[in-house]
Amino acid sequence: MKNNFLPEKFISAHDLCFFIHDLLVNTLVSGENQDIFDYEFSLDEKITNNLENDEDILLFLHENKFYKHRDKVLKTIILPALLSDTLHCIYEALNSSKKAKLNITYMLIRKPIQESLYLLESMLISETEFGKSIANNPLELRPSITMKKTGIKGHEERINIVLDKLELTSLFSFSYLANLRYNKRCEDNFDGICNHAMHLFTEHDAIKTDKFNINFIFSDDNSKLTQWAYLYSRLPYILLYIYYIVEYLMEEICPTEKWYIEEMELRIFAHFILWFEDLDEVYYSDELLKIIEFSRNKLNTFCINNLKKPFDKLIIENIANNGISDYKDNK
């Protein structure tokens, strides 16, 4: 393939990331096609008579203290726009990675995993507080505000609330997600490498530019291999977290068929198993191993129930690429 410089050992990871990306794209497009982002409500006729045809509906609702409707309208407007922007960044980041433009990849991935995801989390934590912040002071919705007020602990607490609502506290680590995204001082984090990709010189003591150096512009082949390895060892974990958040938010607007969610999850888990086979042991972590254990258990249960045997490599590849139709209820 033209402009594809991605080493073979990272292809399964790249495919996993793109699979989750494509699922989210399908969710967004399907929602738009079904008009699920159109929020309809009724108001007293006396009130609507005061509404001019060209008046800003959000401003009208805010000024007349219809906060519940204001928050619903905000959510249905912002969610698809934010998700679209997030997916554009992820798409271009992954394509840049394939072209060995790792500085562009890390520049592009910073916004979705820090700022966009923070906004999605805010919607999930409290629709009311989210609406209030957007209406009164949008700057409150910057992740840097949490960092200034309560440090990494504040991010951990927010993510823990999210995981509790998702009922995924046993699958994900709130501490790991917070440190991956925001903690420059943590050895295992995106923030430092994304800052190096964004800025020629960095002064924070945890990521300070070395003498006789300029950040990221002297990357040789070995450096690129390390950059690829880190990207593809950690990004799938965050993308899976994003996937569950988006599914939760979409479910609140328009429930998805249960069978579809179950099949897509099995396909994601199959991709995770294939990804893990190519993952260098130096990048193993307890958090990633927990995802793999969960994935294997889910797929084993499915295969035993439908095939009366555990999964093998061929089955996993087929489920990842084609779904479960060949195996569902196969006696």
Side-chain angles (χ1 to χ4, degrees):
M1 186 181 295
K2 188 177 180 181
N3 293 327
N4 186 358
F5 300 100
L6 191 66
E8 186 176 354
K9 63 181 177 179
F10 301 123
I11 290 176
S12 60
H14 188 81
D15 289 345
L16 166 56
C17 292
F18 248 119
F19 182 74
I20 296 176
H21 165 275
D22 291 348
L23 276 184
L24 293 173
V25 170
N26 290 338
T27 298
L28 176 61
V29 172
S30 176
E32 290 175 334
N33 290 339
Q34 296 177 51
D35 297 323
I36 71 168
F37 300 113
D38 293 341
Y39 175 65
E40 297 181 1
F41 58 95
S42 58
L43 296 173
D44 187 274
E45 188 175 348
K46 292 181 181 179
I47 297 172
T48 55
N49 287 339
N50 295 325
L51 179 61
E52 302 292 336
N53 289 333
D54 60 349
E55 187 170 356
D56 187 327
I57 185 63
L58 284 170
L59 185 61
F60 176 84
L61 293 172
H62 180 68
E63 291 179 345
N64 287 276
K65 299 182 179 180
F66 293 113
Y67 298 136
K68 183 177 179 181
H69 292 311
R70 178 203 65 187
D71 297 342
K72 289 290 185 185
V73 172
L74 276 170
K75 181 178 178 180
T76 54
I77 290 174
I78 292 174
L79 177 57
L82 176 63
L83 183 55
S84 177
D85 182 77
T86 300
L87 293 171
H88 283 315
C89 288
I90 293 171
Y91 177 87
E92 295 299 339
L94 292 173
N95 268 344
S96 294
S97 170
K98 189 172 64 175
K99 297 174 184 178
K101 299 177 180 179
L102 276 304
N103 58 327
I104 305 299
T105 295
Y106 279 103
M107 289 168 65
L108 286 169
I109 211 64
R110 184 188 187 197
K111 180 182 177 183
I113 68 175
Q114 287 193 347
E115 298 184 27
S116 305
L117 181 49
Y118 186 91
L119 222 56
L120 291 170
E121 290 167 333
S122 298
M123 282 188 208
L124 191 150
I125 290 170
S126 174
E127 188 176 290
T128 301
E129 291 302 315
F130 176 79
K132 189 186 299 183
S133 294
I134 286 289
N136 298 312
N137 185 11
L139 296 183
E140 291 179 350
L141 293 167
R142 293 179 298 171
S144 59
I145 296 299
T146 294
M147 203 67 176
K148 287 178 182 177
K149 288 180 177 179
T150 52
I152 199 68
K153 190 75 174 176
H155 284 295
E156 290 179 344
E157 290 171 355
R158 292 181 80 258
I159 295 170
N160 198 35
I161 293 171
V162 172
L163 292 176
D164 190 54
K165 282 199 166 190
L166 294 174
E167 299 182 351
L168 292 174
T169 54
S170 62
L171 183 60
F172 290 97
S173 164
F174 65 84
S175 177
Y176 190 59
L177 282 164
N179 281 288
L180 271 180
R181 292 159 60 196
Y182 299 115
N183 193 355
K184 295 179 182 68
R185 298 187 183 281
C186 176
E187 184 177 341
D188 190 354
N189 80 90
F190 269 105
D191 196 28
I193 192 169
C194 288
N195 268 285
H196 277 166
M198 288 279 294
H199 307 291
L200 294 177
F201 303 101
T202 42
E203 61 180 345
H204 189 285
D205 59 349
I207 56 170
K208 191 173 182 179
T209 306
D210 294 330
K211 294 178 180 179
F212 301 106
N213 193 22
I214 301 174
N215 294 335
F216 240 94
I217 68 169
F218 298 119
S219 295
D220 57 17
D221 290 344
N222 287 333
S223 297
K224 287 184 182 294
L225 286 173
T226 301
Q227 292 158 14
W228 266 317
Y230 187 77
L231 175 75
Y232 287 121
S233 71
R234 299 300 184 256
L235 186 58
Y237 188 85
I238 297 178
L239 290 181
L240 182 61
Y241 175 62
I242 294 175
Y243 169 79
Y244 279 119
I245 288 177
V246 172
E247 280 296 334
Y248 183 97
L249 292 171
M250 295 291 283
E251 185 78 8
E252 291 181 325
I253 299 173
C254 181
T256 306
E257 293 284 352
K258 187 177 179 181
W259 67 265
Y260 176 80
I261 292 176
E262 290 176 347
E263 176 165 4
M264 292 308 107
E265 283 187 337
L266 286 173
R267 294 189 67 183
I268 290 173
F269 298 148
H271 274 287
F272 262 97
I273 291 172
L274 296 175
W275 159 77
F276 189 70
E277 290 181 357
D278 294 328
L279 183 64
D280 193 316
E281 286 187 22
V282 74
Y283 291 100
Y284 284 9
S285 72
D286 291 341
E287 294 79 12
L288 298 183
L289 292 173
K290 186 176 289 187
I291 295 287
I292 296 305
E293 181 184 11
F294 185 84
S295 300
R296 286 170 173 163
N297 288 340
K298 282 284 188 179
L299 283 156
N300 248 335
T301 298
F302 171 80
C303 289
I304 289 171
N305 288 341
N306 292 275
L307 302 176
K308 310 305 178 188
K309 66 176 183 178
F311 67 78
D312 57 31
K313 179 73 176 290
L314 185 60
I315 292 173
I316 291 300
E317 289 177 343
N318 197 31
I319 289 177
N321 296 320
N322 304 309
I324 62 175
S325 58
D326 290 346
Y327 308 113
K328 184 66 176 175
D329 295 326
N330 182 7
K331 307 301 181 184

